[in-house]
């Protein structure tokens, strides 16, 4: 059975008391929220955007838990050794869940150090989204003991997101639902999912996978989470609500002041939700069935963010008989197709950046440009190419003339073709496919680094090794493949079976070398050369990918053994035969 949140509506904080507490805690604890000289709150962070489509958030702007931490934060306590519950139970994080958060943060510190992602932010979002995987109900590998599902996003009180995964992740083939401990909607998980526990799968119901995916999601766009503006932007991109932002910042500050490890399955379960529904017990559901509204439970004692401990059930308002108004179409609704906006041929050598960028334009049926629409660029195919952000996906908002320009592409080492697919986020229209080609590294010029003649006696060893430098359009050509062959003549490039040679590992003569590669400075130094008993002038030809060629001349000649001439000397006691000057 799957455990479902059963959350119905996003936006309202449970009660007036809860709203006041959220505001108070946000003002006192959240970074970047200050007061001016008159004591008025001043918020410096990013505000939510009212026209941001729900499908562009991690959760689809699904409902979330609004429980607040105690007003007094815990004292720091160790997280190693045998887990014990110390201090307030709210500060405890189940061991496996805590481990997943810390490992994800460590991984991001290596892959995206400029993001400065604190593990406490993952813990804050995990608390708000799922109560730390329902109090740590996970197995040793991090898999939730039952699925954690949000309600159908069918437009009944919240966003309408039709099924995008055929029910593969959420078991619902009609509408999408938020899935797992970090509550990703399937369309977001499809590109943001990660394998955090190394089992070869990307499972939103695994806390290691979900935590790593959340970390990468929060660190995209080059955000630096140590700054207030970027931190706010990242959190709002997860769920576009000011209440959500304040709540996550409150838990972030609470966990930063201290937490401790507790056994899995013993965490405090959440009680209050943003749909104004109470009750922490999971509701069993059949995958694919819509969420059923539940009667709010009545707390017996006051809870932070609750209704002050009232034991009277809240009255259920009668259903409205007024038909809902037809919402005005969003810019996304008006998109009919995508057009290429002048993208040139996409080609680059391995390891280089593509000089051309992909530009797509969103248009209505009549061909009118549509601004403020999110376009997704996805790299498809077996390639190690990526965008300049290091990701395989990028989402860009169209500008005033309806155009979205993808980040620059960077070729990897794999050569061949791959496809960049361009689609409209939140709209099912035909996408555009752009073919990009990665060619092997090349050089167009080769030159010797030395000028000394290469000579040797028969059966001897050449004193100098051949070294060349490769360039491409004047720049160093590194990692370029090359071959070296002793050829018969300038007009006959077949291998010569006489004259100079290299040696293989067994000391046998070799007159063709393959698999050579220039180094980071474009240099290629050939092995030592030897000569057989054949004398004469010989040619060594070096070729690289890209067509660079250099022919080097070598000579094998016998050593000159004739004596040097000795000058004659005049006879003793006689003058030179030459006349004296002036005679």
């Amino acid at each position: 059975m799957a455990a479902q949140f059963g959350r119905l509506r996003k936006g309202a904080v449970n009660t007036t008391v809860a709203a006041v507490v959220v505001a108070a805690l946000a003002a006192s604890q959240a970074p970047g929220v200050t007061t001016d000289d008159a004591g008025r709150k001043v918020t410096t962070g990013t505000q939510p955007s009212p026209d941001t489509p729900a499908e562009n958030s991690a959760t689809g702007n699904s409902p979330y838990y609004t429980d607040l931490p105690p007003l007094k934060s815990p004292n720091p306590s160790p997280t190693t050794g045998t887990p014990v519950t110390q201090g307030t139970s709210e500060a405890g994080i189940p061991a496996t869940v805590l481990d997943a958060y810390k490992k994800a943060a460590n991984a991001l510190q290596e892959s995206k150090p400029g993001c400065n992602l604190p593990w406490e932010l993952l813990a804050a979002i995990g608390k708000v989204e799922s109560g730390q995987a329902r109090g740590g109900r996970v197995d040793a590998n991090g898999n939730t003991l039952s699925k954690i599902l949000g309600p159908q996003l069918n437009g009944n009180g919240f966003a309408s997101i039709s099924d995008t995964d055929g029910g593969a992740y959420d078991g619902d083939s009609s509408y999408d639902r938020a899935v797992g401990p970090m509550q990703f909607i399937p369309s977001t998980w499809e590109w943001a999912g990660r394998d955090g526990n190394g089992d070869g799968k990307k499972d939103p119901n695994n806390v290691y996978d979900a935590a790593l995916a959340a970390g990468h999601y929060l660190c995209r766009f080059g955000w630096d989470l140590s700054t207030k503006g970027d931190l706010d932007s990242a959190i709002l991109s997860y769920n576009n609500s000011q209440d959500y932002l304040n709540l996550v910042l409150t838990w972030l500050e609470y966990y930063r002041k201290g937490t401790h490890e507790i056994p899995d399955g013993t965490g405090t379960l959440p009680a209050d939700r943003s749909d104004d529904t109470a009750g922490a017990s999971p509701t069993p559901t059949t995958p694919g069935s819509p969420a059923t509204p539940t009667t709010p439970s009545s707390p017996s004692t006051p809870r932070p963010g609750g209704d002050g401990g009232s034991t009277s059930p809240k009255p259920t308002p009668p259903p409205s008989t007024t038909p809902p108004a037809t919402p005005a179409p969003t810019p996304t609704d008006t998109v009919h197709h995508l057009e290429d906006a002048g993208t040139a041929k996409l080609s680059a050598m391995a390891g280089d950046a593509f000089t051309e960028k992909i530009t797509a334009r969103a248009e209505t049926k009549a061909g009118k440009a549509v601004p403020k629409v999110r376009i997704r660029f996805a790299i498809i195919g077996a390639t190690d190419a990526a965008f300049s952000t290091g990701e395989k996906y990028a989402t860009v908002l169209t500008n005033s003339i309806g155009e979205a320009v993808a980040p620059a592409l960077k070729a990897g080492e794999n050569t061949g073709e791959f496809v960049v697919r361009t689609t409209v986020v939140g709209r099912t229209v035909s996408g555009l496919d752009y073919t990009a080609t990665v060619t092997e590294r090349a050089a167009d010029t080769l030159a010797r680094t030395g000028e000394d003649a290469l000579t040797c006696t028969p059966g001897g060893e050449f004193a100098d090794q051949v070294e060349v430098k490769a360039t491409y359009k004047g720049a160093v050509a590194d990692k370029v493949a090359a071959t070296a062959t002793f050829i018969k003549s300038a007009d006959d490039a077949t291998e010569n079976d006489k004259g100079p040679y290299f040696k293989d590992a067994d000391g046998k003569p070799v007159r063709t070398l393959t698999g050579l590669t220039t180094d980071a400075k474009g240099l290629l130094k050939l092995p030592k050369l030897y000569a057989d008993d054949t004398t004469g002038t010989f040619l060594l030809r070096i070729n690289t990918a890209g067509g660079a060629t250099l022919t080097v001349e070598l000579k094998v000649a016998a050593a000159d053994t004739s004596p040097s001439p000795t000058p004659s000397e005049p006879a003793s006691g006689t003058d030179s035969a030459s006349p004296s000057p002036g005679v």
Side-chain angles (χ1 to χ4, degrees):
M1 284 294 192
Q4 174 173 319
F5 285 114
R7 301 179 287 183
L8 302 178
R9 184 180 301 274
K10 173 195 170 296
V13 178
N14 293 27
T15 62
T16 303
V17 174
V20 172
V21 175
V22 169
L25 282 170
S28 64
Q29 297 179 331
V33 181
T34 60
T35 57
D36 61 12
D37 294 338
R40 296 170 297 192
K41 292 192 295 292
V42 179
T43 302
T44 60
T46 304
Q47 298 298 313
S49 173
D51 59 352
T52 299
E55 60 267 26
N56 289 337
S57 70
T59 68
N61 293 344
S62 292
Y64 52 89
Y65 286 101
T66 60
D67 294 44
L68 294 165
L71 291 176
K72 184 178 180 181
S73 295
N75 293 323
S77 56
T79 59
T80 59
T82 303
V84 292
T85 302
Q86 300 176 0
T88 175
S89 59
E90 287 290 348
I93 298 178
T96 300
V97 179
L98 180 60
D99 184 58
Y101 296 152
K102 290 186 175 181
K103 285 185 176 178
N106 288 338
L108 267 297
Q109 183 59 36
E110 292 183 7
S111 62
K112 296 181 180 178
C115 177
N116 294 304
L117 170 74
W119 68 262
E120 293 91 342
L121 176 59
L122 297 177
I125 291 176
K127 179 69 175 180
V128 170
E129 292 296 341
S130 67
Q132 311 298 20
R134 308 294 293 159
R137 295 177 184 177
V138 297
D139 64 20
N141 295 319
N143 299 309
T144 58
L145 300 183
S146 57
K147 286 189 176 181
I148 301 175
L149 298 175
Q152 275 191 332
L153 297 175
N154 57 11
N156 184 18
F158 32 79
S160 177
I161 304 179
S162 298
D163 176 66
T164 62
D165 66 327
Y169 294 118
D170 56 9
D172 193 329
S173 58
S174 299
Y175 294 90
D176 273 352
R177 300 169 182 244
V179 182
M182 302 303 277
Q183 287 289 276
F184 280 94
I185 55 174
S187 58
T188 301
W189 182 262
E190 187 63 26
W191 62 266
R194 294 291 192 281
D195 177 15
N197 61 353
D199 64 356
K201 297 184 294 184
K202 300 175 183 179
D203 184 1
N205 296 295
N206 181 280
V207 69
Y208 287 99
D209 294 359
L212 184 60
H216 278 279
Y217 185 92
L218 294 165
C219 287
R220 70 201 195 286
F221 302 142
W223 279 328
D224 178 0
L225 303 187
S226 66
T227 65
K228 175 62 176 162
D230 283 0
L231 177 64
D232 287 0
S233 296
I235 296 172
L236 287 172
S237 77
Y238 213 89
N239 193 314
N240 189 43
S241 160
Q242 186 68 41
D243 289 337
Y244 183 89
L245 172 64
N246 289 342
L247 189 61
V248 170
L249 290 175
T250 299
W251 278 106
L252 169 61
E253 188 66 9
Y254 180 76
Y255 286 136
R256 275 176 165 165
K257 290 183 178 179
T259 185
H260 56 272
E261 178 182 300
I262 60 175
D264 289 343
T266 65
T268 302
L269 298 179
D272 298 315
R273 298 191 291 266
S274 63
D275 58 2
D276 203 19
T277 304
S281 300
T283 303
T285 64
T286 301
S289 63
T292 303
T294 58
T295 302
S297 63
S298 302
S300 57
T301 57
R303 291 185 304 270
D307 58 6
S310 171
T311 58
S312 301
K314 299 177 183 178
T316 303
S320 174
T321 58
T322 304
T326 302
T330 66
T332 302
D333 295 330
T334 66
V335 178
H336 178 266
H337 60 274
L338 290 173
E339 288 285 343
D340 175 49
T343 304
K345 182 179 179 181
L346 297 168
S347 181
M349 284 198 306
D352 287 353
F354 286 75
T355 56
E356 293 294 333
K357 292 184 178 180
I358 298 172
T359 305
R361 183 172 58 251
E363 295 184 354
T364 64
K365 188 174 183 179
K368 184 179 178 181
V370 185
K372 295 185 178 180
V373 172
R374 293 196 177 273
I375 305 299
R376 178 174 294 152
F377 301 90
I379 296 175
I380 309 296
T383 178
D384 55 352
F387 291 109
S388 57
T389 57
E391 304 287 347
K392 297 283 188 181
Y393 299 84
T395 302
V396 180
L397 197 68
T398 56
N399 58 22
S400 60
I401 58 175
E403 292 183 356
V405 182
L409 284 166
K410 184 170 178 21
E413 294 302 323
N414 295 341
T415 59
E417 293 184 347
F418 64 92
V419 171
V420 179
R421 183 160 296 159
T422 308
T423 55
V424 181
V425 176
R427 181 79 170 159
T428 305
V429 297
S430 297
L432 293 176
D433 282 355
Y434 295 85
T435 300
T437 304
V438 179
T439 60
E440 64 180 334
R441 294 171 181 263
D444 56 16
T445 304
L446 281 174
R448 277 192 66 194
T449 58
E451 298 179 353
D452 293 342
L454 298 168
T455 61
C456 182
T457 58
E461 176 182 322
F462 285 82
D464 297 319
Q465 291 177 246
V466 177
E467 184 181 64
V468 297
K469 183 173 183 177
T471 56
Y472 183 78
K473 295 182 178 179
V476 167
D478 62 323
K479 299 181 182 179
V480 176
T483 61
T485 304
F486 284 101
I487 59 175
K488 290 186 174 180
S489 69
D491 299 325
D492 185 356
T494 57
E495 182 182 281
N496 198 342
D497 58 355
K498 294 181 176 61
Y501 61 89
F502 304 103
K503 286 183 180 181
D504 64 13
D506 297 326
K508 296 179 180 179
V510 174
R511 290 185 169 86
T512 297
L513 294 179
T514 59
L516 304 172
T517 306
T518 61
D519 65 14
K521 297 180 180 180
L523 298 175
L524 173 62
K525 192 170 188 177
L526 300 181
K528 286 185 176 182
L529 286 163
Y530 304 88
D532 62 14
D533 294 334
T534 309
T535 59
T537 299
F538 301 89
L539 300 179
L540 173 64
R541 181 160 292 174
I542 304 170
N543 298 303
T544 69
T549 299
L550 177 67
T551 302
V552 180
E553 186 177 275
L554 303 94
K555 292 182 179 181
V556 179
D560 188 357
T561 59
S562 60
S564 300
T566 302
S568 59
E569 296 180 359
S572 177
T574 62
D575 295 331
S576 171
S578 300
S580 298
V583 175

